[in-house]
Amino acid sequence: MREPVTSGSLLAWYDQHARDMPWRVAPHDRARGVMPDPYRIWLSEVMLQQTTVAAVKDYFVKFTNLWPTVDDLAAADDPEVMAAWAGLGYYARARNLLKCARVVATEHGGVFPSSRESLQALPGIGPYTSAAIASIAFDLPETVLDGNVERVMARIHAVETPLPTAKPELMDLAQALTPRERAGDYAQSVMDLGATICTPKKPACGICPWRDGCEGRAAGIAPELPRKIAKKAKPTRRGVAYVLRNSKGDWLLETRPNKGLLGGMLGWPGSDWTEEPIPAPPIQTSWEPAGVDVRHTFTHFHLILNVMTARADTPPDKGVFIPHLSFRPSDLPTVMRKVFDVAKHRFEQN
DNA sequence: TACTCGTGGGA
DNA sequence: TTCCCAAGAGT
């Protein structure tokens, strides 16, 4: 029999194929009245912004073990939360996560609001995340529009308008399909479909529950959709990172300003990152090159970091010495951890 | 509107 | 190697 492109046919598929995730309430448990914890849904959705499920899982478990409730998180110290987020990227999310937890704790009595409008008023919660929390945690009939939904809608309706221009059109199509009942399961079902079958490359149309009514497939253009505006090429920037240890073996680190790239994160003192960086050592001493440059790619530029090392007890112009035994490289953002790996190797040679 | 903001995995 | 991109938000 032919399956129509309806929420019902996708929900039937989801009942059989829902993926298991640490924050998810399985459809058969939802059917018995089990509701998700809004705190866990919020935390997972913020972590999942532009980030894969595989990358998020361990961080989610770590955060919920350290801070089981929103009140626990609200009471945490900023550096501990930033350190726990280290490696996950987009660090403004962690800063806004704390802001949001504190607003919920102090202004909402530790209880997340349920309406999409009140959720979107909170720090770090935008159009997608507000709809995701309202539907998944509170079962309200809100429509999520993320990259998965955009792709699925563009394909089943053969929308050839490129993104981001097509966004309002895709939102209208997504809203038209959103059911009154089981909105949370439905939202997750579309995203599961996009993540496992209606994938960006080589979609598995042959096993798609919506294949019979997919206009993109009928036109033979499903894998090409959604069309996108071409992106600009990434420039390459350079910089110098300084890794200083004193005679006790402590490491000189600084907390970066609470805005901009890697804002609020721990890092090595260094020059600016530009096409022509100006050296800016934290002290004047005999710096030695580590020998190997660190290469790293951010969202909008490539970076080549020249790593300099030295031992000295001179009080530095910036940063603080962190005792060897309490320094955890895992507290650093990835690019800074790469610098550490190179510098550590250099120190071990001497 | 357009730009900023991370990272790791896969093709 | 290089490019793409993944459950976006803030400015």
Side-chain angles (χ1 to χ4, degrees):
Chain A
M1 81 182 243
R2 293 173 62 83
E3 292 288 348
V5 175
T6 62
S7 58
S9 62
L10 189 57
L11 280 165
W13 170 83
Y14 182 71
D15 286 337
Q16 300 300 317
H17 300 92
R19 294 191 292 169
D20 183 37
M21 300 176 194
W23 50 85
R24 177 173 281 181
V25 172
H28 66 271
D29 285 326
R30 271 298 288 116
R32 295 171 189 159
V34 178
M35 290 298 287
D37 177 356
Y39 168 66
R40 294 166 64 87
I41 297 304
W42 162 70
L43 179 61
S44 68
E45 288 300 340
V46 172
M47 287 183 167
L48 286 163
Q49 290 167 6
Q50 296 290 286
T51 309
T52 58
V53 169
V56 162
K57 277 184 177 171
D58 289 349
Y59 283 88
F60 177 84
V61 171
K62 174 167 64 175
F63 267 70
T64 50
N65 282 334
L66 286 169
W67 305 291
T69 71
V70 68
D71 289 316
D72 296 324
L73 182 58
D77 291 328
D78 293 45
E80 289 188 28
V81 175
M82 299 311 290
W85 195 279
L88 195 54
Y90 283 150
Y91 298 100
R93 291 185 296 172
R95 303 195 300 272
N96 286 327
L97 190 80
L98 255 176
K99 282 187 194 172
C100 182
R102 288 167 181 164
V103 171
V104 171
T106 61
E107 297 180 21
H108 298 271
V111 179
F112 274 87
S114 58
S115 75
R116 197 193 61 76
E117 292 78 10
S118 53
L119 285 164
Q120 198 166 326
L122 295 167
I125 299 182
Y128 163 76
T129 306
S130 61
I133 299 172
S135 61
I136 298 171
F138 299 105
D139 214 23
L140 296 172
E142 299 289 353
T143 300
V144 298
L145 187 68
D146 73 328
N148 289 304
V149 181
E150 288 175 353
R151 184 170 58 256
V152 171
M153 291 302 127
R155 286 174 176 172
I156 63 176
H157 296 289
V159 173
E160 298 206 54
T161 311
L163 286 169
T165 309
K167 224 164 178 170
E169 181 180 355
L170 297 173
M171 179 52 120
D172 289 343
L173 295 169
Q175 281 177 333
L177 268 172
T178 304
R180 290 286 165 190
E181 310 290 328
R182 298 189 67 187
D185 279 349
Y186 172 73
Q188 295 176 94
S189 73
V190 187
M191 294 191 283
D192 271 18
L193 184 71
T196 62
I197 291 178
C198 196
T199 51
K201 300 166 187 172
K202 297 184 179 180
C205 298
I207 58 171
C208 179
W210 276 352
R211 64 183 175 281
D212 294 334
C214 181
E215 297 179 26
R217 184 185 184 224
I221 58 174
E224 306 167 22
L225 302 178
R227 306 199 189 282
K228 296 184 178 181
I229 303 289
K231 357 183 134 169
K232 300 192 306 182
K234 290 176 168 58
T236 296
R237 299 182 188 172
R238 298 167 190 276
V240 187
Y242 299 92
V243 181
L244 179 69
R245 305 187 74 180
N246 61 20
S247 54
K248 291 187 294 183
D250 305 338
W251 304 83
L252 183 71
L253 287 150
E254 63 180 6
T255 301
R256 299 170 63 87
N258 245 330
K259 60 175 184 176
L261 194 62
L262 309 180
M265 299 300 291
L266 215 49
W268 309 104
S271 69
D272 52 0
W273 296 347
T274 60
E275 292 184 358
E276 296 290 334
I278 303 166
I283 66 166
Q284 294 302 324
T285 187
S286 55
W287 292 97
E288 296 182 13
V292 181
D293 288 340
V294 164
R295 290 174 177 273
H296 192 75
T297 298
F298 293 98
T299 305
H300 53 292
F301 66 94
H302 302 290
L303 177 66
I304 300 175
L305 270 184
N306 185 1
V307 180
M308 304 295 286
T309 60
R311 279 194 189 269
D313 290 304
T314 314
D317 294 338
K318 50 187 176 182
V320 293
F321 278 110
I322 296 186
H324 176 61
L325 289 178
S326 58
F327 171 54
R328 290 177 304 180
S330 60
D331 289 354
L332 300 173
T334 299
V335 64
M336 298 296 178
R337 188 183 48 70
K338 288 183 181 177
V339 170
F340 168 78
D341 290 340
V342 168
K344 174 171 175 287
H345 188 254
R346 172 67 182 169
F347 280 115
E348 285 171 352
Q349 286 179 334
N350 293 352

Coordinates of all heavy atoms in Angstrom, one line a residue, chain A residues 45 50 124 126 129 146 148 200, chain C residues 3-10:
Chain A
E45 N 19.1 20.2 23.7 CA 18.8 21.0 22.5 C 19.9 22.0 22.3 O 20.3 22.3 21.2 CB 17.4 21.6 22.6 CG 16.3 20.6 22.4 CD 16.4 19.8 21.0 OE1 17.0 20.3 20.1 OE2 15.8 18.8 20.9
Q50 N 23.9 22.9 15.9 CA 25.0 22.7 15.0 C 26.0 21.7 15.4 O 27.2 21.8 15.1 CB 25.7 24.1 14.9 CG 24.8 25.2 14.2 CD 24.6 24.9 12.8 OE1 25.4 25.1 11.9 NE2 23.4 24.4 12.5
G124 N 20.1 32.3 24.8 CA 20.5 31.1 24.1 C 19.4 30.2 23.5 O 19.7 29.2 22.9
G126 N 16.5 30.3 20.8 CA 16.0 31.0 19.6 C 14.8 30.3 19.0 O 14.2 29.5 19.7
T129 N 15.1 26.3 19.1 CA 15.1 25.6 20.4 C 13.9 25.9 21.2 O 13.4 25.0 21.9 CB 16.4 26.1 21.2 OG1 17.6 25.9 20.4 CG2 16.6 25.4 22.5
D146 N 14.7 23.0 11.7 CA 16.2 22.9 11.8 C 16.7 22.4 10.4 O 15.9 22.4 9.5 CB 16.6 21.9 12.9 CG 16.4 20.5 12.5 OD1 15.4 20.3 11.7 OD2 17.1 19.6 12.8
N148 N 17.5 19.5 9.4 CA 16.8 18.3 8.9 C 15.5 18.6 8.3 O 15.1 18.1 7.3 CB 16.7 17.3 10.1 CG 18.0 16.7 10.6 OD1 18.7 16.1 9.8 ND2 18.3 16.9 11.9
P200 N 21.9 14.3 3.8 CA 22.3 15.3 2.8 C 22.8 14.6 1.6 O 22.5 15.1 0.5 CB 23.4 16.1 3.6 CG 23.1 15.9 5.0 CD 22.5 14.6 5.1
Chain C
dC3 P 38.9 23.7 0.0 OP1 39.0 24.7 -1.2 OP2 39.3 24.2 1.3 O5' 37.4 23.2 0.0 C5' 36.9 22.4 -1.0 C4' 35.8 21.6 -0.4 O4' 36.3 20.6 0.5 C3' 34.7 22.4 0.3 O3' 33.5 22.5 -0.4 C2' 34.6 21.7 1.7 C1' 35.3 20.4 1.5 N1 35.9 19.9 2.7 C2 35.6 18.6 3.2 O2 34.7 18.0 2.7 N3 36.2 18.1 4.3 C4 37.1 18.9 4.9 N4 37.7 18.4 6.0 C5 37.5 20.1 4.4 C6 36.9 20.6 3.3
dC4 P 32.3 23.3 0.2 OP1 31.6 23.8 -1.0 OP2 32.9 24.3 1.2 O5' 31.5 22.2 0.9 C5' 31.2 21.0 0.3 C4' 30.4 20.1 1.3 O4' 31.4 19.6 2.2 C3' 29.4 20.9 2.1 O3' 28.1 20.3 2.0 C2' 29.9 20.9 3.5 C1' 30.8 19.7 3.6 N1 32.0 19.9 4.5 C2 32.3 18.9 5.4 O2 31.5 17.9 5.5 N3 33.3 19.1 6.3 C4 34.1 20.2 6.2 N4 35.1 20.3 7.0 C5 33.8 21.1 5.2 C6 32.8 21.0 4.4
dC5 P 26.8 21.1 2.4 OP1 25.8 20.8 1.4 OP2 27.2 22.5 2.6 O5' 26.5 20.5 3.8 C5' 26.8 19.2 4.1 C4' 26.9 19.0 5.6 O4' 28.2 19.2 6.0 C3' 26.0 20.0 6.3 O3' 25.2 19.3 7.3 C2' 27.0 20.8 7.1 C1' 28.2 19.9 7.3 N1 29.5 20.5 7.5 C2 30.4 20.0 8.4 O2 30.1 18.9 9.0 N3 31.5 20.6 8.7 C4 31.8 21.7 8.1 N4 33.0 22.3 8.3 C5 30.9 22.3 7.1 C6 29.8 21.7 6.9
dA6 P 24.0 18.5 7.0 OP1 24.3 17.3 6.2 OP2 22.8 19.3 6.7 O5' 23.8 18.1 8.5 C5' 24.8 17.4 9.2 C4' 24.4 17.4 10.7 O4' 25.6 17.8 11.4 C3' 23.3 18.4 11.0 O3' 22.2 17.7 11.4 C2' 23.8 19.2 12.2 C1' 25.3 18.9 12.2 N9 26.2 20.0 11.7 C8 25.9 21.0 10.9 N7 26.8 21.8 10.6 C5 27.9 21.3 11.3 C6 29.3 21.7 11.4 N6 29.8 22.7 10.8 N1 30.1 20.9 12.2 C2 29.6 19.9 12.8 N3 28.3 19.4 12.8 C4 27.5 20.2 12.0
dA7 P 20.8 18.1 10.9 OP1 20.0 16.9 10.8 OP2 20.9 19.0 9.7 O5' 20.2 19.1 12.1 C5' 19.5 18.4 13.2 C4' 19.2 19.6 14.1 O4' 18.2 19.1 15.0 C3' 20.4 20.1 14.9 O3' 20.2 21.5 15.1 C2' 20.3 19.4 16.2 C1' 18.7 19.2 16.3 N9 18.3 18.1 17.1 C8 17.7 18.0 18.3 N7 17.4 16.9 18.7 C5 17.9 16.0 17.7 C6 17.9 14.6 17.5 N6 17.4 13.8 18.4 N1 18.5 14.1 16.4 C2 19.0 15.0 15.5 N3 19.0 16.4 15.6 C4 18.4 16.8 16.7
dG8 P 20.9 22.5 14.1 OP1 20.3 22.7 12.8 OP2 22.3 22.0 14.1 O5' 21.0 23.9 14.9 C5' 19.8 24.8 14.8 C4' 20.0 25.8 15.9 O4' 21.3 26.4 15.7 C3' 19.1 27.0 15.9 O3' 18.8 27.3 17.3 C2' 19.7 28.0 15.1 C1' 21.2 27.8 15.4 N9 22.1 28.1 14.3 C8 21.9 27.9 13.0 N7 22.9 28.3 12.2 C5 23.9 28.7 13.1 C6 25.1 29.3 12.9 O6 25.7 29.4 11.9 N1 25.8 29.6 14.1 C2 25.2 29.5 15.4 N2 25.9 29.8 16.4 N3 24.0 29.0 15.6 C4 23.4 28.6 14.4
dA9 P 17.9 28.6 17.6 OP1 17.2 28.2 18.8 OP2 17.2 29.2 16.5 O5' 19.0 29.7 18.1 C5' 20.0 29.3 19.2 C4' 20.8 30.4 19.6 O4' 21.8 30.7 18.6 C3' 20.0 31.7 19.8 O3' 20.5 32.4 21.0 C2' 20.3 32.5 18.5 C1' 21.7 32.1 18.2 N9 22.0 32.0 16.7 C8 21.1 31.6 15.7 N7 21.7 31.7 14.5 C5 22.9 32.2 14.8 C6 24.0 32.5 13.9 N6 24.0 32.4 12.6 N1 25.1 33.0 14.5 C2 25.2 33.2 15.8 N3 24.2 32.9 16.7 C4 23.1 32.4 16.1
dG10 P 19.9 33.8 21.4 OP1 19.9 33.8 22.9 OP2 18.7 34.2 20.6 O5' 21.1 34.8 20.9 C5' 22.4 34.5 21.3 C4' 23.4 35.6 20.8 O4' 23.6 35.4 19.4 C3' 22.8 37.0 21.0 O3' 23.9 37.8 21.5 C2' 22.4 37.4 19.6 C1' 23.4 36.7 18.8 N9 22.9 36.3 17.4 C8 21.7 35.7 17.1 N7 21.5 35.5 15.8 C5 22.7 35.9 15.3 C6 23.2 35.9 13.9 O6 22.6 35.5 12.9 N1 24.5 36.4 13.8 C2 25.2 36.8 14.9 N2 26.4 37.3 14.5 N3 24.8 36.9 16.1 C4 23.6 36.4 16.3

